[in-house]
Amino acid sequence: PDFTQLTSQISSHLAPLRAGQTDTMKGFGALGRAAMTAGALDARTKELIALAIGVAQRCDGCIGFHTKALVQMGCSEAELQEMLGVAVYMGGGPSLMYAANALAAFQQFSQQAGSAQHPAWSGRKKASVRARGSCWSCHSARKALLRSG
């Protein structure tokens, strides 16, 4: 799949749900913010866990959004592949097929990131993004999902 197109389409298709199910979407947004906030686990580790679950659940949208976030957080392909090994171990053959999709999504988003420098990767912002483990201003897809919260 073209994960850039997929995540963009999902974000736009969520607009009617945000408008029609405001309380549900606000609740989902609050749940997402609470779950992904750095604590004992840093934000990148939480994104890796979320992607592993997306692979095991065979959710291409989850794969797209979480790999995009991981690329923006500076995750390496080696880290991603190691996590995918655990996801395949836990999910068997079907997870292996979706692990291949997750790797394809990572490579697509990495290629895009390489062509347009991430604004948080320059100067002083780079250190603050690494300290927080996330650059929320760049997670437009997640913000679209969570914005009603």
Side-chain angles (χ1 to χ4, degrees), residues 49-103:
I49 291 167
L51 178 55
I53 293 168
V55 167
Q57 291 294 315
R58 302 172 194 100
C59 175
D60 279 331
C62 301
I63 289 169
F65 288 115
H66 293 293
T67 54
K68 183 176 181 178
L70 285 164
V71 166
Q72 292 169 343
M73 292 175 163
C75 181
S76 71
E77 188 170 322
E79 290 171 306
L80 182 90
Q81 286 195 22
E82 190 169 328
M83 175 279 299
L84 291 174
V86 174
V88 169
Y89 164 66
M90 296 304 295
S95 289
L96 179 59
M97 301 304 112
Y98 280 82
N101 282 353
L103 186 56

Side-chain angles (χ1 to χ4, degrees), residues 3-146:
F3 287 95
T4 301
Q5 182 179 11
L6 178 69
T7 54
S8 177
Q9 286 174 341
I10 290 171
S11 291
S12 66
H13 292 158
L14 285 173
L17 279 174
R18 283 192 301 275
Q21 295 295 313
T22 55
D23 289 343
T24 300
M25 295 304 286
K26 284 180 183 179
F28 183 78
L31 176 63
R33 284 187 299 278
M36 299 308 281
T37 297
L41 297 175
D42 62 73
R44 187 159 74 185
T45 299
K46 289 182 176 193
E47 284 292 346
L48 286 164
I49 291 167
L51 178 55
I53 293 168
V55 167
Q57 291 294 315
R58 302 172 194 100
C59 175
D60 279 331
C62 301
I63 289 169
F65 288 115
H66 293 293
T67 54
K68 183 176 181 178
L70 285 164
V71 166
Q72 292 169 343
M73 292 175 163
C75 181
S76 71
E77 188 170 322
E79 290 171 306
L80 182 90
Q81 286 195 22
E82 190 169 328
M83 175 279 299
L84 291 174
V86 174
V88 169
Y89 164 66
M90 296 304 295
S95 289
L96 179 59
M97 301 304 112
Y98 280 82
N101 282 353
L103 186 56
F106 183 85
Q107 290 167 346
Q108 286 175 22
F109 287 118
S110 292
Q111 201 169 38
Q112 287 177 353
S115 64
Q117 186 178 5
H118 188 283
W121 294 346
S122 61
R124 293 173 23 176
K125 285 187 177 181
K126 184 175 184 178
S128 67
V129 168
R130 284 194 178 145
R132 285 192 326 261
S134 176
C135 178
W136 290 101
S137 66
C138 294
H139 294 167
S140 58
R142 178 182 297 132
K143 284 180 124 178
L145 283 170
L146 306 177

